[in-house]
Amino acid sequence: MEWLKTHRNDAILIAALMLLGGALAVFLYATRQDGGYVSVQMDGQTVMELPLSEDTQVLLGEDGHTNTLVIRNGTAQVVEADCPDQICVRQGAVQYEGESIVCLPHKLVVSVEGGQGSGIDANTG
Ligand SMILES: [Zn+2]
């Protein structure tokens, strides 16, 4: 019964591929955790760098020009701002490298930098 053997091998191959795909997805998800730190830029200049591992709250800017940035549980979020569009507040929390919160009226950019293990590479060369 040669056909039976062939079909069984196919089933094993498909199962193996599914398992591999699942493992890859878990791996990609796991490596996307910890974003490292957030870089705060105002008017094109980096004014602050805050680690995502430490919960904190900072008030950025001056009167009539402020954004309240909260770092909690490894995520960064602008919880309050006095800009007219409130886009930065509505954007919600960011936590992965490459994600950012932008407040155009205040020329504020909060971006997640340096994921886990990439700090060394960024400083060499
Ligand atoms: Zn804003």
Side-chain angles (χ1 to χ4, degrees):
M1 299 297 264
E2 194 61 36
W3 64 271
L4 191 68
K5 214 162 133 188
T6 309
H7 279 249
R8 198 167 59 195
N9 283 346
D10 281 354
I12 289 167
L13 186 70
I14 288 163
L17 283 173
M18 283 169 69
L19 211 67
L20 196 71
L24 190 70
V26 169
F27 175 76
L28 287 174
Y29 179 78
T31 52
R32 269 175 65 88
Q33 292 299 297
D34 298 319
Y37 64 95
V38 287
S39 167
V40 179
Q41 293 177 346
M42 293 187 85
D43 223 349
Q45 288 196 315
T46 303
V47 293
M48 209 179 285
E49 284 179 350
L50 300 161
L52 278 171
S53 53
E54 283 174 39
D55 291 5
T56 186
Q57 179 171 330
V58 282
L59 186 66
L60 303 162
E62 304 150 4
D63 273 352
H65 203 80
T66 59
N67 299 70
T68 305
L69 175 69
V70 168
I71 293 176
R72 190 174 51 207
N73 297 329
T75 68
Q77 184 174 5
V78 173
V79 294
E80 208 180 326
D82 54 11
C83 57
D85 60 15
Q86 296 287 299
I87 285 172
C88 52
V89 178
R90 275 184 283 163
Q91 205 168 344
V94 294
Q95 59 180 313
Y96 300 123
E97 187 177 2
E99 286 187 315
S100 58
I101 300 170
V102 180
C103 182
L104 276 179
H106 293 177
K107 293 179 183 169
L108 174 79
V109 181
V110 177
S111 57
V112 182
E113 311 269 355
Q116 207 171 31
S118 69
I120 298 158
D121 291 344
N123 290 327
T124 52

